[in-house]
Amino acid sequence: MNTDTIIHFSKVWAAYRIDPVLQDFNWHWRRGEQWAILGGNGAGKSAVAHLMTDTLRPQRGDILRSPNLLAEADILHLSFELQRQLIDHDVRFDDSEARDDAFDIGTTVRQIILQKHPEDERFASIAKQCHVDHILNRGIRFVSTGESRKTLLARALLNPPKILILDNPFEGLDRQSQDELKVLINELLCSPLKVLLLIKQADEIPKNTDHVLWLEQGKIKASGTRDSVITQAEQADASINIGSLPAASERHYRVDKRQPLLAFKGVNISYGPQPILNDINWTLNWGQHCCISGPNGAGKSTLLSLLSGDNHKAYGQNISLFGRHRGSGESIWELKKKFGIVSTQLQLNHVGRTRVVEVIASGLYDSVGLYKTCSGKDKKIAMDWLKVMGLDDIANHFFNQISFGQQRLAMLARAMVKSPLILILDEPCIGLDRPHRDLILALTDKIAARGDCHILYVSHSANEMPHCINQQLELVPHTGGGYTGCVTQHNADGR
């Protein structure tokens, strides 16, 4: 092995159980090189990371590492899966139900970063560098997806590995946070720390990356200098075909259409002394589709949880849903029937050995997983939606073994199987390559055009807006702390 070798893959074949993810894979990472691996959903990027960290073993071929490089101890894969594990651990020890105040803040951002390290000037510098210094006392369950990712990055920098693998680092971040993180990553690429980026979009590859490996369906599409591979990738084009939507499922409830779908009047939410939402006034009428926007940490996910029944702080607030005041006798399960939800948090909750078709069918019961065999009518409804998503060929795969982007598409199918009155799409394009983002947007418009479902769409990106949007709720800073809402109405005129 050459003395300048960091890691060398030679004719490697790998699979998740029986499903191939890498085929005849050859790649040599040498000292002095800064690499990014580019590829869409299911391309094999994460498989490379799993092979590097020894959490996936090759079927055949050789993987050579630098002699002083230990797979488990020296390589950190910072991914959505790591976020899932972090939140699962925190939820497991939540004792809110046993507390007088019915609220357990859980593990704080400060504790996540520090672990057993002292709180010194270096800690303060890294927290500021990663832009999490203002949320150090927040519970990790109560920060945004982007903020939790920055928290994990800060933890990694406090106790740096020899190789840091950043898996889709910009997903879920608002534009300012993306720009700040690009500056930080470019600094890291010039430091002694070896950084490997796993990226879905060519335009997200930082300027200080000098080599790019482009994967497609487990095979190398191109490999070489940054500019040459990016040029090839940008010239590639993919077509997307969308089939007809399945027939709407029967709704076993009635709603007064003379009343707004939802109405917030002077809603205030805080966690401890920290105000999150401050004086929110918002009405969504029939026929409206709303985009909810605001920076990371503005309270977008908190706002959505007040609607879907997942946040007990909705009680005592002036919130009306489908013509009924929140807390006036309607059960949470009666409320959940009317909502379909796609969110990173809900996606991360679906773990274990659950088949994709079972995850989809669980949307009919608003459960995480199924407690009986998926068959008959339920299975047909689930399969019809999987076909629309182009996922019918992986229906019997285990959910935690498909790519993050495929999981996201499956979650949209899960949300739609019961024909919800309101479809909540909380950053639905996170984890998706460009063709699948276009698919999500086109499907959203098609769902809205059918006229029996209303869209609440959260996104940081102006170019990821469905055409159907005709209202915007922007969360902006309130002078009294937290964020308030600015509502505008407009024509559905596209992205």
Side-chain angles (χ1 to χ4, degrees), residues 110-329:
R110 185 189 308 275
Q111 292 168 327
I112 293 292
I113 298 172
L114 282 172
Q115 295 180 297
K116 296 181 179 180
H117 291 85
E119 186 170 341
D120 53 16
E121 290 184 3
R122 183 165 172 268
F123 161 77
S125 175
I126 288 174
K128 185 175 182 180
Q129 186 182 26
C130 293
H131 303 279
V132 294
D133 50 320
H134 64 295
I135 58 168
L136 291 174
N137 294 323
R138 269 236 218 121
I140 192 64
R141 281 177 288 136
F142 305 102
V143 302
S144 70
T145 301
E147 288 171 330
S148 64
R149 186 178 297 107
K150 289 188 285 186
T151 297
L152 287 175
L153 179 58
R155 183 173 74 171
L157 296 182
L158 191 63
N159 185 30
K162 292 180 180 177
I163 294 179
L164 178 61
I165 304 173
L166 297 178
D167 200 333
N168 295 313
F170 305 111
E171 295 284 6
L173 300 182
D174 56 44
R175 180 55 58 188
Q176 179 179 342
S177 295
Q178 287 184 24
D179 292 342
E180 291 168 348
L181 185 56
K182 283 180 181 178
V183 171
L184 175 56
I185 290 176
N186 274 312
E187 291 174 355
L188 294 177
L189 290 169
C190 295
S191 74
L193 177 64
K194 299 175 181 67
V195 179
L196 175 64
L197 296 163
L198 309 184
I199 298 286
K200 284 190 172 70
Q201 309 296 339
D203 58 5
E204 291 181 345
I205 298 175
K207 63 182 181 179
N208 287 342
T209 301
D210 50 32
H211 286 75
V212 176
L213 178 70
W214 180 17
L215 291 179
E216 191 172 278
Q217 296 181 338
K219 297 180 180 179
I220 296 176
K221 186 85 171 178
S223 179
T225 61
R226 178 186 185 277
D227 291 344
S228 65
V229 176
I230 286 179
T231 299
Q232 293 178 64
E234 289 177 340
Q235 291 172 349
D237 187 27
S239 59
I240 295 176
N241 297 315
I242 303 175
S244 299
L245 298 183
S249 300
E250 183 180 358
R251 292 171 177 159
H252 300 287
Y253 55 83
R254 292 186 178 181
V255 177
D256 186 355
K257 292 189 176 183
R258 297 170 298 179
Q259 301 294 328
L261 285 160
L262 59 89
F264 282 47
K265 295 182 180 178
V267 171
N268 300 285
I269 301 295
S270 62
Y271 290 115
Q274 177 65 46
I276 304 297
L277 299 176
N278 199 334
D279 194 26
I280 301 291
N281 295 279
W282 171 42
T283 300
L284 185 77
N285 290 305
W286 293 80
Q288 288 188 315
H289 306 285
C290 183
C291 172
I292 301 172
S293 61
N296 289 121
K300 300 183 295 296
S301 295
T302 297
L303 182 96
L304 297 178
S305 69
L306 296 173
L307 297 173
S308 61
D310 293 323
N311 193 327
H312 69 279
K313 290 181 176 288
Y315 295 105
Q317 299 287 342
N318 195 346
I319 299 175
S320 295
L321 302 175
F322 312 107
R324 296 185 63 173
H325 191 273
R326 186 78 168 85
S328 62

Side-chain angles (χ1 to χ4, degrees), residues 203-482:
D203 58 5
E204 291 181 345
I205 298 175
K207 63 182 181 179
N208 287 342
T209 301
D210 50 32
H211 286 75
V212 176
L213 178 70
W214 180 17
L215 291 179
E216 191 172 278
Q217 296 181 338
K219 297 180 180 179
I220 296 176
K221 186 85 171 178
S223 179
T225 61
R226 178 186 185 277
D227 291 344
S228 65
V229 176
I230 286 179
T231 299
Q232 293 178 64
E234 289 177 340
Q235 291 172 349
D237 187 27
S239 59
I240 295 176
N241 297 315
I242 303 175
S244 299
L245 298 183
S249 300
E250 183 180 358
R251 292 171 177 159
H252 300 287
Y253 55 83
R254 292 186 178 181
V255 177
D256 186 355
K257 292 189 176 183
R258 297 170 298 179
Q259 301 294 328
L261 285 160
L262 59 89
F264 282 47
K265 295 182 180 178
V267 171
N268 300 285
I269 301 295
S270 62
Y271 290 115
Q274 177 65 46
I276 304 297
L277 299 176
N278 199 334
D279 194 26
I280 301 291
N281 295 279
W282 171 42
T283 300
L284 185 77
N285 290 305
W286 293 80
Q288 288 188 315
H289 306 285
C290 183
C291 172
I292 301 172
S293 61
N296 289 121
K300 300 183 295 296
S301 295
T302 297
L303 182 96
L304 297 178
S305 69
L306 296 173
L307 297 173
S308 61
D310 293 323
N311 193 327
H312 69 279
K313 290 181 176 288
Y315 295 105
Q317 299 287 342
N318 195 346
I319 299 175
S320 295
L321 302 175
F322 312 107
R324 296 185 63 173
H325 191 273
R326 186 78 168 85
S328 62
E330 187 178 41
S331 73
I332 288 178
W333 297 109
E334 288 175 313
L335 189 62
K336 284 182 176 292
K337 288 179 183 178
K338 302 177 178 69
F339 288 97
I341 303 173
V342 176
S343 72
T344 301
Q345 182 58 61
L346 185 59
Q347 182 173 336
L348 293 178
N349 287 340
H350 282 270
V351 296
R353 295 171 62 81
T354 306
R355 298 190 185 278
V356 173
V357 67
E358 294 168 344
V359 170
I360 309 308
S362 72
L364 294 165
Y365 304 96
D366 296 304
S367 62
V368 176
L370 280 180
Y371 302 97
K372 62 179 183 178
T373 303
C374 181
S375 61
K377 183 180 178 181
D378 289 357
K379 186 171 184 178
K380 183 181 184 307
I381 293 172
M383 288 302 302
D384 286 345
W385 276 101
L386 280 171
K387 288 176 183 176
V388 171
M389 304 295 170
L391 302 177
D392 48 314
D393 60 331
I394 62 168
N396 290 313
H397 291 207
F398 291 115
F399 187 75
N400 60 351
Q401 292 176 349
I402 64 176
S403 74
F404 188 90
Q406 290 171 320
Q407 289 181 4
R408 181 52 55 109
L409 291 170
M411 293 306 292
L412 178 55
R414 178 188 181 277
M416 286 304 301
V417 289
K418 61 180 175 180
S419 298
L421 267 174
I422 293 180
L423 175 62
I424 295 176
L425 300 174
D426 189 356
E427 293 284 359
C429 293
I430 283 181
L432 298 182
D433 53 25
R434 182 167 288 112
H436 286 92
R437 291 183 187 204
D438 292 343
L439 173 59
I440 285 282
L441 295 172
L443 278 168
T444 301
D445 281 324
K446 202 160 191 176
I447 290 167
R450 194 160 71 177
D452 59 353
C453 183
H454 298 76
I455 309 298
L456 296 182
Y457 191 93
V458 177
S459 179
H460 293 300
S461 303
N463 63 343
E464 289 179 2
M465 193 76 65
H467 293 290
C468 64
I469 296 301
N470 53 21
Q471 183 191 70
Q472 181 159 4
L473 171 64
E474 183 181 6
L475 296 178
V476 297
H478 190 283
T479 54

